[in-house]
Structure formats: structure tokens, C-alpha cells
């Protein structure tokens, strides 16, 4: 396989902070290369340098033996497609119109849509399996459908190389596997060269034919997945706490936590203190749920209450009668 893309001694940084330091790699035609590494290791910066979106501070990047910044921008866009992380589109833009934007580098001065352009747009939608979505607005699509639409846009450019920056971001596991299977099929059946930044080491080892691992802006490992994803290499690149074990079905490496997480015990609830309730309050709460008394029971209760009432005060005699002397008989 001939070298399609090559980076030699690439340095790049932002505000005097070095992000890439002396990075060199080559990508052959027909490869599926996954760029892996911890956050901040320079993966996306390297991809943007390879895609002509950033000019390196030092070093060179070439495509088919020619420095990429010496290639006409329209010509480069016909050969290399770039799918950014979380691409955006107007929500009311129809899917087919989005895919048509991939034909801009091929259209003439007046931008007329020719028969070949229509054939390439149709082919791109078929390959990305979005023909049934051609009339849908972008704002109505799921995350996986949106990513497929942008891949169709890239395919409409008729590129020999496609660069993808974390294509599975924001997708659930089912859509991640579906999208990566699509890229693997395009690589295998259409001969499309794929270079993708990926975070999941298991998925990278399963779908990609080659891994390039970055750490601190430098290439830490480069090769086939079974030689790159080893316990020693993973510990050196990502730090301790990870374990590498072969998949029981494919034999490819799987990266797992070194030990299961300890169970988190729920804090004990403080014991509730039972305070004595006033008898009347307790009776009132119980009485609210008690059934209504019958008429006879009400009368008996009234009599019982009346019998417990204090007797009426005795009538006192008038003062004149109290001091009247007793007449002898």
C-alpha cells in the first residue's frame, strides 16, 4: 500500500503552550486508523493539522507526496473530507440539500447541478443508508441519523480519505456501533481510507486496523490493536487502574477497570424520637377516622355526660328569714 497521507516532525501549540511535539506518522491508502489517547493529548489538533484546518508551527503534512498547503483548496476538498465533532446544520435544512453541499468542490462557475452530481449525491445517500430520510429536516433527526447525514455529505465529495473527529460523540451505544460498522464497511468495500479520533479503546481495537496513541503531544505507540492495547502500554498512556483482557469471542483486547468499584453504603438514618402526644390530640386523630355513632349511642353519651355534671347550687334563704327568731309553741 502506498503512503497517502504523511506528517513529518509536526509541532503545534496555542499561546505558547505546546500541544503537538515532533509528531510523525504515515497513513497508507485503504487503512482504518484510530487516533487514541487521554484528554488533552493533542488528538483533535493533529487531525485538524492533517485536514488542512490548522497550519503547523513546524513540520510538514503531505497528501500523495505533495504538501497540503501547496494544493489548491478546491482540489484538496475533492480528495479529503473532514467531519468535525458535533457538526451543526440549520434545523430546517432538508437532508438531501445537506448532502448536495458535498458537491460544491466539483461544481463549475455557475454552480449548475449536472447529472454526475445527482448520481454522486444519490450514491452517497445509499452508502450512508439515509435514502428514506432525504426529505426530512435536520432538526427532526436523531443523533445517529444526523451523523449519517454528515457522512453522506463527506461521501458526496468523492474523497479518497475521510477524517472524523470523535464521530460517536453524544450517541448511545447502539448508534455508536452502527456508525462505526458503517465506516468499517465503507473502508472494506469501497476502499475508503479512514482516520478517526476515538475515545473507546475497545471500539477502536475492534473496528480499526491500526491505532496511533498520543500522550503529551507525542506518539506513544503505533501499530495493530493487539500490540498497542497492552497492560503496559495502557498504563503508560492512560495511567494505572486499568486491566487489559482478551475478548472471549474475537481475541481482541478489552480494557476494563483493574478492580470492581467498592459498594457505596447508604448512610444510616437517625433514629426518630417518639414524643408523648397529648391524649386529647391522639383521641382527636383517632376520632376523625372513627365511624359516626348511632342515635341511641349519642343519647346514651348525652345522658352519661349530663350525669357527670355538678349538681345545681342550693337556693339560699333570704337574710331576713335566716335571723327570724323561732316562735314558741
Amino acid at each position: 500500500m502506498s503512503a497517502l497521507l504523511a506528517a513529518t516532525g509536526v509541532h503545534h501549540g496555542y499561546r505558547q503552550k505546546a500541544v503537538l511535539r515532533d509528531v510523525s506518522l504515515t497513513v497508507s491508502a485503504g487503512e482504518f486508523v484510530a487516533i487514541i489517547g487521554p484528554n488533552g493529548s493533542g488528538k483533535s489538533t493533529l487531525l485538524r493539522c492533517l485536514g488542512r484546518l490548522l497550519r503547523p508551527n513546524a513540520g510538514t503534512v503531505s497528501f500523495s507526496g505533495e504538501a497540503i498547503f501547496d494544493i489548491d483548496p478546491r482540489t484538496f476538498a475533492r480528495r479529503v473530507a473532514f467531519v468535525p465533532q458535533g457538526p451543526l446544520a440549520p434545523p430546517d435544512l432538508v437532508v438531501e440539500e445537506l448532502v448536495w453541499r458535498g458537491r460544491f468542490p466539483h461544481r463549475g462557475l455557475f454552480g449548475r447541478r449536472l447529472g454526475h452530481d445527482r448520481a454522486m449525491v444519490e450514491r452517497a445517500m445509499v452508502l450512508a443508508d439515509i435514502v428514506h430520510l432525504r426529505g426530512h429536516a435536520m432538526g427532526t433527526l436523531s443523533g445517529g441519523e444526523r451523523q449519517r447525514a454528515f457522512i453522506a455529505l463527506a461521501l458526496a465529495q468523492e474523497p479518497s480519505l475521510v477524517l472524523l473527529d470523535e464521530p460517536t460523540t453524544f450517541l448511545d451505544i447502539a448508534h455508536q456501533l452502527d456508525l462505526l460498522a458503517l465506516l468499517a464497511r465503507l473502508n472494506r468495500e469501497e476502499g475508503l481510507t479512514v482516520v478517526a479520533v476515538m475515545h473507546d479503546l475497545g471500539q477502536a481495537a475492534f473496528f480499526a486496523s491500526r491505532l496511533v496513541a498520543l500522550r503529551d503531544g507525542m506518539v506513544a505507540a503505533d501499530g495493530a490493536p493487539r500490540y498497542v492495547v497492552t497492560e503496559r502500554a495502557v498504563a503508560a498512556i492512560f495511567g494505572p487502574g486499568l486491566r487489559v483482557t482478551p475478548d472471549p469471542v474475537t481475541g481482541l483486547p478489552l480494557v476494563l477497570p483493574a478492580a470492581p468499584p467498592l459498594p457505596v453504603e447508604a448512610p444510616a438514618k437517625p433514629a426518630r424520637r417518639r414524643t408523648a402526644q397529648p391524649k386529647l390530640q391522639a383521641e382527636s386523630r383517632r376520632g376523625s377516622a372513627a365511624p359516626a355513632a348511632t342515635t341511641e349511642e349519642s343519647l346514651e353519651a348525652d345522658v352519661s355526660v349530663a350525669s357527670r355534671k355538678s349538681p345545681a347550687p342550693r337556693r339560699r334563704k333570704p337574710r331576713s328569714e335566716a335571723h327570724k327568731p323561732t316562735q314558741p309553741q
Side-chain angles (χ1 to χ4, degrees):
M1 291 184 293
S2 60
L4 184 66
L5 184 68
T8 306
V10 172
H11 291 258
H12 194 74
Y14 304 98
R15 297 182 180 179
Q16 300 182 348
K17 179 183 178 182
V19 178
L20 297 176
R21 295 180 288 178
D22 195 26
V23 174
S24 296
L25 63 88
T26 60
V27 178
S28 300
E31 280 193 296
F32 188 153
V33 179
I35 302 176
I36 62 174
N39 291 336
S41 59
K43 302 183 298 298
S44 295
T45 300
L46 174 60
L47 195 76
R48 293 171 69 85
C49 288
L50 298 178
R52 205 174 181 270
L53 298 177
L54 289 176
R55 184 185 290 270
N57 296 337
T60 60
V61 179
S62 61
F63 181 83
S64 295
E66 186 177 2
I68 58 175
F69 284 96
D70 292 340
I71 303 175
D72 176 73
R74 288 174 64 90
T75 302
F76 188 78
R78 294 171 186 169
R79 301 177 181 177
V80 180
F82 188 93
V83 180
Q85 180 180 349
L88 300 176
D92 57 345
L93 181 67
V94 176
V95 169
E96 186 173 359
E97 286 300 318
L98 175 76
V99 180
W100 266 103
R101 295 186 177 189
R103 298 304 301 168
F104 285 164
H106 298 270
R107 290 160 67 179
L109 180 63
F110 299 102
R112 291 186 300 174
R113 297 182 175 183
L114 304 178
H116 179 70
D117 295 322
R118 295 184 183 277
M120 290 300 100
V121 168
E122 192 69 25
R123 175 178 177 272
M125 289 191 293
V126 170
L127 290 175
D129 193 19
I130 59 166
V131 174
H132 61 291
L133 300 173
R134 66 192 315 152
H136 292 227
M138 291 295 295
T140 65
L141 304 185
S142 67
E145 291 170 340
R146 285 176 55 85
Q147 286 294 82
R148 281 178 170 269
F150 280 102
I151 289 177
L153 183 154
L155 295 176
Q157 296 176 226
E158 295 183 80
S160 54
L161 168 66
V162 60
L163 308 173
L164 303 103
D165 191 2
E166 300 186 30
T168 58
T169 300
F170 309 126
L171 300 183
D172 60 49
I173 184 64
H175 284 97
Q176 290 177 22
L177 299 177
D178 184 60
L179 182 67
L180 292 173
L182 168 64
L183 295 175
R185 179 171 59 83
L186 293 172
N187 169 256
R188 183 177 61 255
E189 298 178 2
E190 302 295 327
L192 180 67
T193 305
V194 178
V195 178
V197 171
M198 298 179 65
H199 271 294
D200 191 298
L201 298 183
Q203 293 178 359
F206 185 85
F207 289 102
S209 58
R210 176 179 160 211
L211 304 183
V212 176
L214 298 184
R215 180 170 178 82
D216 296 329
M218 298 182 291
V219 176
D222 184 353
R226 66 179 67 252
Y227 299 115
V228 173
V229 185
T230 63
E231 286 203 4
R232 178 176 294 183
V234 169
I237 297 169
F238 294 93
L242 297 172
R243 175 171 56 92
V244 178
T245 184
D247 185 280
V249 177
T250 65
L252 294 171
L254 291 176
V255 181
L256 303 171
L262 295 176
V264 179
E265 295 183 359
K269 295 182 179 180
R272 295 180 59 184
R273 296 182 58 188
R274 294 185 177 182
T275 57
Q277 297 285 346
K279 186 175 181 180
L280 292 179
Q281 293 183 4
E283 289 179 354
S284 64
R285 286 198 298 269
R286 291 196 298 267
S288 60
T294 61
T295 305
E296 293 180 359
E297 291 174 345
S298 299
L299 291 175
E300 291 177 0
D302 292 341
V303 171
S304 177
V305 172
S307 64
R308 290 198 301 268
K309 289 183 179 180
S310 58
R314 296 175 61 185
R315 180 175 177 274
R316 298 180 62 184
K317 294 182 179 181
R319 187 176 184 85
S320 58
E321 295 179 0
H323 297 279
K324 185 175 180 181
T326 304
Q327 298 291 335
Q329 298 185 6

